[in-house]
């Protein structure tokens, strides 16, 4: 049974929360459908509509997401203010070889850290196109601060062990014009430098 989120790229517009269980046996599918029908955990009509609409443009959105993400990862890896970039589609990045064997590309999720003389809050405050928000895989580029947002409930020592530092920034690369995304990130980084 493959359990997959439909909240991210399948929906693609940060406006639906849903998921799916996929099986390759009609018998198992019927059992699961029975449980779903009897417990009532079904997606509402409007959410279903949003999801079906989203799926129609999945292929073209993904092409642009990945194109933009590869550019953004390259840009960040060459930027003087950036300490680390984590993106499996970037040659030299951790997991690059494994990812090459298992996937066509690196997707559009990037994490990075700024050098210590940059203030992360000032960076977030000065972004104009890219929003600070907890959602991933939508058409709009978003950044999030995992240690205080999505991963804040994880004890600090475990966060540290798995690499979720207080300086870690997660970027969900959207489908906007790539120069707009890079320009916004560049100007926010410039303002974040501690003088
Ligand atoms: C990912 C996400 C969820 C959880 O959705 P799943 O389908 O369980 O992954 C909820 N809200 C937001 C904003 C999200 O980005």
């Amino acid at each position: 049974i493959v359990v997959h989120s439909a909240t991210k790229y399948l929906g693609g517009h940060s406006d639906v929360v849903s998921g799916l269980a996929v099986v390759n046996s009609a018998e198992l599918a019927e059992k699961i459908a029975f449980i779903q029908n009897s417990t009532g955990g079904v997606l509402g009509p409007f959410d279903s509509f949003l999801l079906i609409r989203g799926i129609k443009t999945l292929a073209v959105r993904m092409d642009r997401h990945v194109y933009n993400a590869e550019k953004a990862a390259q840009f960040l890896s060459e930027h003087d203010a950036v300490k680390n970039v984590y993106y499996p589609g970037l040659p030299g990045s951790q997991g690059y070889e494994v990812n090459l064997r298992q996937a066509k590309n690196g997707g559009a999720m990037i994490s990075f850290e700024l050098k210590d003389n940059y203030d992360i809050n000032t960076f977030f405050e000065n972004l104009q196109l890219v929003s600070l928000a907890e959602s991933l895989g939508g058409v709009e580029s978003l950044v999030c601060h995992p240690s205080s947002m999505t991963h804040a409930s994880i004890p600090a020592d475990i966060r540290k062990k798995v690499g979720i530092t207080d300086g870690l920034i997660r970027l969900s690369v959207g489908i906007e014009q790539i120069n707009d995304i890079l320009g916004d990130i560049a100007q926010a980084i410039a303002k974040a430098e501690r003088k």
Side-chain angles (χ1 to χ4, degrees), residues 7-8 12 30 32 37 39 66 68 97 104 119 125 139 155 168 187:
T7 307
K8 316 299 176 196
E30 200 180 318
I32 291 173
N37 191 39
T39 57
V66 172
N68 281 353
E97 274 80 22
K104 291 195 187 108
D119 184 69
E125 280 163 16
V139 290
L168 192 71
Q187 64 81 25

Side-chain angles (χ1 to χ4, degrees), residues 93-162:
S93 199
Q94 194 185 355
Y96 176 73
E97 274 80 22
V98 176
N99 186 68
L100 262 191
R101 290 199 299 273
Q102 300 183 347
K104 291 195 187 108
N105 54 62
M109 226 47 72
I110 299 173
S111 294
F112 66 98
E113 288 162 314
L114 295 176
K115 288 183 179 157
D116 296 339
N117 55 324
Y118 287 81
D119 184 69
I120 188 168
N121 289 319
T122 310
F123 169 72
F124 288 136
E125 280 163 16
N126 282 286
L127 287 168
Q128 287 173 3
L129 173 72
V130 182
S131 309
L132 179 66
E134 277 187 16
S135 190
L136 304 170
V139 290
E140 286 121 0
S141 293
L142 302 174
V143 284
C144 131
H145 183 230
S147 75
S148 72
M149 293 166 69
T150 47
H151 296 67
S153 61
I154 297 172
D157 54 326
I158 296 177
R159 276 207 310 263
K160 209 167 165 188
K161 213 157 75 184
V162 297

Side-chain angles (χ1 to χ4, degrees), residues 1-4 20-25 28-29 31-32 35:
I1 302 172
V2 175
V3 176
H4 199 285
L20 44 137
V22 185
V23 296
N24 63 1
S25 134
L28 198 51
K31 278 187 187 168
I32 291 173
I35 294 168

